[in-house]
Amino acid sequence: MRRYFVGGNWKCNNTIAQTQSLINTVINKLVFDTKKVEVAVAPIFLHVPWVQANIQKNVQVAVQNSSLTKMGAYTGEISVEQVKDLAIPWVILGHSERRQYYGETNEIVGKKTRIALDYQLSVMACVGEKLAEREAGQTTQVIQAQLDAIKKELTTDQWSKVVVAYEPVWAIGTGRTASPEQAQEVHAFIRGWLKSQIGTQAEQATRIIYGGSVTEKNAADLIKQPDLDGFLVGGAALKPAFADIVAAANNAR
């Protein structure tokens, strides 16, 4: 059985005081079975060292991005060597906001994923379609192209350190959520792609998580879907509701 995964993407939010409050009042009070559920949170880069020093031992720390380039004369970038040097185990790559606002193409996301995995980081690799693409019946084609670009860069063994996060762009921060049936349909497609393109081991072991206006109100219904292995949580990860979402995974099956 795949272990559930719940990630909290804090995006570009919080002062240091707000981060300290979130850690002390929500994150450090989470109680869950670590054999059943894996939890990681991704603060802004500036807050990572404080979070690392003060977070409870059962919750891991992630970064929200890493560079296409390594250490060197690349102003404003954070390299995978620097992430690894801080012993941060996880990185989020390919988020739709990175694709939309910072021009990250499928090819860039694939290359970033390979670089992170080459340095033994684990990756939450995000895929998802825009509303116009869904309405045009192009959801699976869009996601296949995103996955194909990652496959082009990875070895078969490297997929063991990848969690695929399906985040329909039309549901991120909009209050609209894919229905459990819509989410399951896409997750089943991704699992089928893993079987045909990577192999049976990847199909069975790779966790596919859902993101897109996940809240404490819809998490319990979403997690019942057979190919849904957890969540990548945005806005609700900044609130006490995050504890309820972790609990939904902890209480599932």
Side-chain angles (χ1 to χ4, degrees), residues 39-216:
V39 179
V41 296
I44 64 167
F45 283 117
L46 287 172
H47 296 174
V48 164
W50 187 93
V51 170
Q52 279 187 301
N54 292 277
I55 201 167
Q56 66 152 300
K57 65 179 182 179
N58 289 335
V59 179
Q60 301 174 78
V61 179
V63 293
Q64 300 174 20
N65 184 35
S66 60
S67 178
L68 184 62
T69 49
K70 298 184 180 180
M71 288 197 293
Y74 304 105
T75 301
E77 292 297 315
I78 302 290
S79 76
V80 289
E81 296 103 319
Q82 292 158 337
V83 176
K84 186 70 175 178
D85 186 50
L86 282 182
I88 299 166
W90 286 94
V91 57
I92 301 170
L93 294 174
H95 194 280
S96 65
E97 289 154 5
R98 299 293 313 173
R99 297 175 187 263
Q100 179 178 353
Y101 301 131
Y102 302 101
E104 293 194 3
T105 63
N106 291 346
E107 290 70 28
I108 287 174
V109 173
K111 291 181 185 301
K112 281 189 169 189
T113 301
R114 174 180 51 78
I115 292 169
L117 292 168
D118 284 347
Y119 279 80
Q120 291 76 53
L121 299 178
S122 295
V123 175
M124 295 174 241
C126 300
V127 300
E129 81 284 8
K130 298 176 183 176
L131 180 59
E133 293 166 337
R134 169 166 280 273
E135 291 179 339
Q138 298 172 343
T139 295
T140 56
Q141 296 97 309
V142 168
I143 291 171
Q144 180 170 332
Q146 293 167 340
L147 292 170
D148 284 346
I150 296 173
K151 174 183 179 268
K152 180 180 177 181
E153 298 290 337
L154 305 192
T155 67
T156 298
D157 289 344
Q158 284 180 313
W159 283 90
S160 65
K161 294 180 73 68
V162 175
V163 168
V164 178
Y166 168 56
E167 294 199 301
V169 180
W170 49 271
I172 298 174
T174 63
R176 298 180 62 179
T177 307
S179 69
E181 294 75 20
Q182 286 174 317
Q184 169 58 24
E185 181 180 20
V186 178
H187 282 232
F189 168 79
I190 295 171
R191 200 164 304 286
W193 181 91
L194 287 165
K195 181 178 182 179
S196 65
Q197 299 298 313
I198 312 301
T200 302
Q201 174 63 24
E203 174 213 3
Q204 295 176 350
T206 302
R207 290 172 292 183
I208 308 169
I209 62 177
Y210 172 79
S213 296
V214 177
T215 71
E216 74 281 12

Side-chain angles (χ1 to χ4, degrees), residues 22 25-26 30 216 235-245:
L22 182 58
T25 64
V26 178
L30 294 175
E216 74 281 12
L238 300 167
K239 304 173 184 177
F242 187 67
D244 297 319
I245 295 169

